[in-house]
Amino acid sequence: MTTPASLTQDELKTLVGQAALQYVVPGEIVGVGTGSTVNKFIDALASMKDSIKGAVSSSTASTQRLQQLGIPVFDANEVESLSVYIDGADEIDGSGYMVKGGGAALTREKIVAALAKRFVCIADASKRVEALGGFPLPVEVIPMATSQIQRRFAAMGGEATVRLKDGSPLVTDNGQHILDVRGLVIRDPLAFESAVNQWPGVVTVGVFAHQRAHVCLLGTAQGVETLSY
């Protein structure tokens, strides 16, 4: 038998993905995020697909995975509210504030999170931080505003670079670009998110403070740790 201490990061992701099933409300539509940990949750969700109506997904990739497993996917415009949204994080602090967007789906993730009464974050222990900013902060931007947004981050002490894919700027599901900002320490995530979201040309900043986690299922060497905020 495998002991928790010997579990790989991939196995920890599987554990937290399975643990998230307890937050899925039978008979309802569940909000589903994006990323490698969420893929483990989607795989686990297939085991109870007959007891839910379906899912609202935050990305094309998650939608395809859900549909391949026979789980109906609804457009966000078809849903007034969700009881729960389950997604990963690139960083999460002691208040449930997160940095997200490493997978470039931050805007759609924030839209689905805003529909949900409860955000359940699933992550491994390496994602827990004292202060946000160690992970490069993703910011989805309209391309024509790229340079002026880079200058604004430089004035804050950050270095913003355009995320590339195959040598060209990555294009999001929304047809926009991503800036990854290094060198910031985000001490007041709520104020930071509010301020940057007001900059012309910013579609979404990857700080999730207004849509923070209510619960985090953290994969640790001792197993799954449940944190409530």
Side-chain angles (χ1 to χ4, degrees), residues 3-8 12 15 124-125 128 218-225:
T3 60
S6 65
L7 292 177
T8 65
L12 289 174
L15 275 184
D124 63 80
R128 179 159 49 177
L218 206 66
T220 74
Q222 289 73 43
V224 178
E225 183 180 347

Side-chain angles (χ1 to χ4, degrees), residues 20 37 96 103-104 143 155 191 212 225:
T37 308
R212 71 185 178 101
E225 183 180 347

Side-chain angles (χ1 to χ4, degrees), residues 28-227:
E28 294 195 11
I29 298 169
V30 59
V32 176
T34 302
S36 59
T37 308
V38 174
N39 284 341
K40 302 292 190 180
F41 166 66
I42 293 173
D43 294 344
L45 188 63
S47 69
M48 59 178 294
K49 64 183 179 184
D50 295 332
S51 64
I52 59 171
K53 283 186 180 177
V56 171
S57 161
S58 70
S59 70
T60 301
S62 288
T63 294
Q64 290 172 346
R65 195 179 190 97
L66 287 159
Q67 291 174 334
Q68 286 167 358
L69 292 170
I71 299 169
V73 178
F74 293 84
D75 187 281
N77 288 310
E78 299 177 86
V79 178
E80 284 191 18
S81 69
L82 299 166
S83 55
V84 66
Y85 176 59
I86 295 170
D87 200 0
D90 298 306
E91 290 184 325
I92 184 164
D93 72 8
S95 299
Y97 300 143
M98 298 168 286
V99 164
K100 294 174 48 55
L106 61 159
T107 299
R108 293 190 181 196
E109 289 172 347
K110 201 169 276 191
I111 290 167
V112 183
L115 283 172
K117 297 170 186 169
R118 194 180 211 189
F119 190 131
V120 175
C121 173
I122 51 177
D124 63 80
S126 68
K127 306 299 193 295
R128 179 159 49 177
V129 298
E130 290 296 318
L132 303 179
F135 186 89
L137 173 69
V139 185
E140 185 162 354
V141 301
I142 292 170
M144 72 175 288
T146 297
S147 292
Q148 63 172 294
I149 293 169
Q150 286 176 308
R151 289 191 292 271
R152 293 189 77 150
F153 277 120
M156 298 171 70
E159 181 186 1
T161 56
V162 177
R163 189 181 301 182
L164 302 178
K165 182 179 181 181
D166 300 325
S168 299
L170 178 145
V171 178
T172 69
D173 286 351
N174 311 309
Q176 312 298 347
H177 293 172
I178 298 276
L179 289 175
D180 290 309
V181 189
R182 294 166 175 81
L184 298 178
V185 179
I186 303 168
R187 299 290 184 193
D188 187 343
L190 279 165
F192 181 91
E193 180 184 4
S194 295
V196 176
N197 271 339
Q198 297 304 312
W199 295 358
V202 170
V203 179
T204 312
V205 60
V207 171
F208 281 58
H210 292 284
Q211 276 83 35
R212 71 185 178 101
H214 299 95
V215 175
C216 180
L217 302 176
L218 206 66
T220 74
Q222 289 73 43
V224 178
E225 183 180 347
T226 303
L227 306 171

